[in-house]
Amino acid sequence: KPQWELSMINSHFLYLLCFVPVGRCKAEWRPNNSPKLMDLLDDTVPGIGTYEDFNTIDWVREKSKDRDRHREIANKSKQSTVALLFSISDAFSGWLLMLLIGLMSGALAGGIDIAAHWMTDLKEGVCLNGFWFNHEHCCWASNETTFQERDKCPQWKSWAELMVGVSEGPGLYVVNYFMYVCWALLFAFLAVILVRAFAPYACGSGIPEIKTILSGFIIRGYLGKWTLIIKTITLVLAVSSGLSLGKEGPLVHVACCCANILCHFFTKYRRNEAKKREVLSAASAVGVSVAFGAPIGGVLFSLEEVSYYFPLKTLWRSFFAALVAAFTLRSINPFGNSRLVLFYVEFHTPWHLLELIPFVLLGIFGGLWGAFFIRANIAWCRLRKNTSLGHYPVLEVVVVTLLTALLAFPIEYTKMSSSELISELFNDCGLLDSSKLCGYTSNSGSTSGSVNATAANGLGARLAGPGLYTAMWQLALALVLKMVFTVVTFGMKVPSGLFIPSMAVGAIAGRLLGVCMEQLAIRHHERDIFRGWCSPGADCITPGLYAMVGAAACLGGVTRMTVSLVVIMFELTGGLEYIVPLMAAAMTSKWVADALGRESIYEAHIRLNGYPFLEAKEEFRHKTLATDVMRPRRGDPPVSVLTESGMTVEEVERLIADTTYSGFPVVISQQSPRLVGFVLRRDLVISLENARRHQEGVVSMSPILFTECDPPMSPSAPPAVKLRSILDLSPFTVTVHTAMEIVVDIFRKLGLRQCLVIQNGRLLGIITKKDILKHMAQMANRDPDSILFN
């Protein structure tokens, strides 16, 4: 034949080989008497597509499953009215789920707030009108309370008055001191015992683990019903004990538990781990919304700090859920002031441009505090983890609570709850305020010329008096105690949040600096730098504003939040006109803290616990290749693989028993290691067990097939087990020369579990998420074996 005719014949032959219908392979190749192959996955096998504990989900497969489900529903909706209604209900189910999460989380947060306020006051006394009233509500209901002594009412009795009958003298102080310590120890002991006995996952803030779960990691039971019940109860007990912790961070965990439980009532979210994580991202926003009364800040917190995958659809639903939760909390009105915000401020004095200098100084202090706190707390947690201290969590909680209560009671600003302290520090002194922080005097009898001139100008009313000096010394001592106790408290086996203690540290430092600036401006108001700041009858400087800026700076230094922090702060306080000082302090705090260490407290605890979490903010700057990270390394045995045909059930089961890998690459044959696909270990085990149980004639010598066409088989051969349906035919692959910077980026953005390394189609190795984390730890001179979980 001529050359062009031979070429055409070869082309037609190749066409027939490539495009012949797959179903005909069985009819043409199978002998007449050979048994028919059974496809185990014609019907869904229970357990296929699920994940074991402490494993990472396959984001690509989960999203593909969801697209296939949507496509099937859309096709069926055109066939009947019932299918159309089902399609509408399926689309609406996401919004219904958000509504339920918002209602449930808001109701739980309101109950926690009310119970915590009551039990905190229970350490000091009880209301005779009704033991369920806290101190404030008891005095509100009294007709005998005067405005000057609004904190005192006949209906509220201290424990000394009830037990001993004394209303003044040293006996009153000693008995109240003793009862305060006893109640604190009782609350803390109950909290740690309940956590240890019923829900070990209920301890801590929960945000590091939630970040890890949202990145695709499986921690079964962490968001379960027992964790929700015990965390709700013990959170009230831990906050009421007076420990240096807050309830705001754990409320994110509580909201995510609500979301996880409610997801089980919706098939779309129960059967798809990626869709469930979209709901958990929205629940994180709900948690911050009910914690601070900041729905917009909650959405930004979820987007900036917690979420791993945050599509635009999740943004809208997060906003809706946070709105519902905030409305529910406002309806319950746990603070009794008809306001949603936790610390309402009403500043009337504008800030001056030169005040940006002390605001930046507060930002520097916040960054230094954040870096110090992270290092000190991680060192303490590592000591607890690696020594016998970690074997006695109950004793540790009791001892820390005892020391906290003994040192806190004598000082007014450590005796009160952290939320009450922050509210006091944010407060701008008015004419009727009786707080020591408002202890100003005119000092009109002073012999100092500048002071007399100040008094003559009408500014003497803001000069510091004895009460203010006493408050300053107490605040300085409270600052030291808060710092020390926050370091040792965070990480104990009780629910413990970090938002409020960090804000308290910053608010104390800010108030101290604000009072110093105020007195400096008043006493030297004639200087050019302060000229125009002070005017008769008006305030020169607002110390409460400095407390607010300091709180934002310290919280930013610990958590490294920026945008969401500023929004949370102005939603928290209602101070919209002070966004610029908050922004300056937040950015300065982050810059200073990042210069001393790139990790936030949550990322540091993730690394301490060994969770496989790839931080999107961390840059990979090393010039390594995929061949430097992949396994097997040089000198190691070859990678464990399956062949698409030629292996028996016994051989596959032996390979599973001898290895602990999460999956196996499938190649054409051992002699021709051309990549065919990838199969997960769990799917393989479940399919083989199902085949032995339900497929007739399957024995140890039955062949395993991952092929589409049936190969020729002897009539006497046992029936084959066909597993092509569980085979991933499009696993992600890279070449040996791919830069690790690109590989890390692929793992982050696609949420991969593993990536196969090939060269000219031949399988050479595999890179898992754990391999990347170990490599990054090694490059950063950290222990690579700190990545604990498979």
Side-chain angles (χ1 to χ4, degrees), residues 207 211 305 370 373-374 378 498 555-561 590 593-594 597-607 615 617:
I207 293 180
K211 287 188 69 170
E305 188 63 27
F373 171 79
I374 291 170
I378 292 299
L498 196 58
L555 183 56
V558 171
T559 63
R560 309 298 165 86
M561 295 189 298
K590 178 173 173 56
D594 282 347
R598 300 289 297 179
E599 290 180 326
S600 70
I601 184 62
Y602 303 128
E603 293 152 15
H605 272 269
I606 287 173
R607 185 162 58 83
E615 176 56 55
K617 303 171 188 174

Side-chain angles (χ1 to χ4, degrees), residues 729-787:
L729 293 170
S730 57
F732 277 86
T733 60
V734 295
T735 68
V736 290
H737 301 296
T738 305
M740 276 307 298
E741 183 179 4
I742 298 175
V743 176
V744 171
D745 212 26
I746 291 173
F747 268 80
R748 282 175 178 158
K749 293 183 177 178
L750 296 180
L752 298 184
R753 299 178 54 159
Q754 68 279 318
C755 183
L756 302 176
V757 183
I758 61 172
Q759 184 70 16
N760 299 325
R762 295 174 62 251
L763 176 69
L764 296 183
I766 185 171
I767 300 175
T768 65
K769 192 174 184 180
K770 187 176 179 180
D771 293 329
I772 289 181
L773 288 165
K774 283 191 171 186
H775 180 68
M776 294 175 70
Q778 196 171 8
M779 292 291 102
N781 295 320
R782 299 195 303 261
D783 180 17
D785 292 328
S786 61
I787 312 300

